[in-house]
Amino acid sequence: MPTNRRVAPLNRLLASLPRGESQRLLADCEAVELELGKVLYEPDARIRHVYFPTDSFISLIIPVDGTTNLEVGLVGNEGMLGSPLILGVDVSPLRALVQGAGLAWRMSAVMFARQLGRSPALRRTLHRYLQVQISQLAQTAACTRFHVVEERLARWLLMTQDRAHGDEFRVTHEFLAYMLGVRRVGVTQAANALQLRKLIR
């Protein structure tokens, strides 16, 4: 649902642009409230909007088979959702699920392509962001392959803490199992181990 444009706080990716470029981009955006659990993209579906989260954050999920999913990335106010459009691809390879409700700037994919075509500063910034995102995806793949559930859970909690901008957030074991692509009992054991070490409560 659209909200007042002046209410939305900072997106660090947009804030890193020269002031004039950032203002031009924001002029073509609308501030929207992202609801917890809302699916913004589906795999193999056309990308119709890009999102620049401010105090919301979004999970990037790949369906592994008919019943299993795995979170491979997280987008908060450091970035944007819709990075395939930077490369001229208008179809999402992943599901995008709102994990932290809040505000985001939204722009149509058509307008984003226009802005990208006329702004070298925007292209440079987004190319750097794309490189960071690719590195994070590679790190997630390595973590999923070589780390035990406890280490993967700790990493997920730290990444979520960064994007939630606080030390407290609520999440169920069932949801964590869904994000990490493991059984619920594995998450419970890992969470208990972290709790015994006084790392979480």
Side-chain angles (χ1 to χ4, degrees):
M1 101 185 319
T3 186
N4 188 319
R5 178 172 295 189
R6 289 174 299 219
V7 174
L10 183 73
N11 173 279
R12 288 167 35 205
L13 189 62
L14 296 181
S16 72
L17 293 168
R19 187 171 175 79
E21 299 281 339
S22 178
Q23 288 176 338
R24 270 194 296 277
L25 199 70
L26 286 172
D28 289 328
C29 289
E30 64 175 333
V32 293
E33 183 82 31
L34 300 182
E35 297 173 7
L36 181 68
K38 182 173 176 61
V39 176
L40 301 176
Y41 295 174
E42 285 286 4
D44 302 320
R46 191 164 179 199
I47 298 172
R48 303 201 178 276
H49 294 95
V50 298
Y51 296 83
F52 297 93
T54 54
D55 61 356
S56 58
F57 50 101
I58 303 158
S59 288
L60 304 177
I61 300 165
I62 186 163
V64 179
D65 56 35
T67 58
T68 308
N69 296 279
L70 181 66
E71 183 187 73
V72 294
L74 200 54
V75 177
N77 77 334
E78 83 294 339
M80 67 167 283
L81 177 67
S83 54
L85 291 172
I86 299 168
L87 301 174
V89 177
D90 66 354
V91 173
S92 174
L94 304 169
R95 176 174 293 125
L97 173 76
V98 178
Q99 184 186 308
L103 296 171
W105 294 107
R106 181 174 72 184
M107 176 186 284
S108 75
V110 172
M111 188 55 68
F112 178 75
R114 276 190 211 143
Q115 289 276 4
L116 202 58
R118 64 181 174 217
S119 173
L122 179 62
R123 284 195 304 276
R124 279 193 304 274
T125 298
L126 293 181
H127 287 164
R128 284 195 298 269
Y129 172 66
L130 197 55
Q131 174 59 37
V132 169
Q133 199 172 45
I134 290 168
S135 297
Q136 288 178 346
L137 288 169
Q139 187 173 19
T140 299
C143 181
T144 301
R145 170 63 180 87
F146 294 108
H147 293 167
V148 297
V149 176
E150 185 180 330
E151 292 169 329
R152 291 172 57 200
L153 174 60
R155 180 178 181 274
W156 186 94
L157 292 170
L158 287 169
M159 288 182 67
T160 301
Q161 179 190 34
D162 283 348
R163 285 149 182 90
H165 307 293
D167 291 338
E168 292 187 17
F169 49 91
R170 295 190 181 276
V171 65
T172 66
H173 288 201
E174 186 176 354
F175 182 76
L176 288 169
Y178 177 80
M179 289 291 107
L180 297 174
V182 297
R183 291 172 54 225
R184 188 181 182 282
V185 66
V187 169
T188 300
Q189 290 169 350
N192 286 341
L194 293 177
Q195 203 165 4
L196 283 171
R197 293 164 63 189
K198 301 193 185 317
L199 297 173
I200 63 170
R201 57 177 157 73

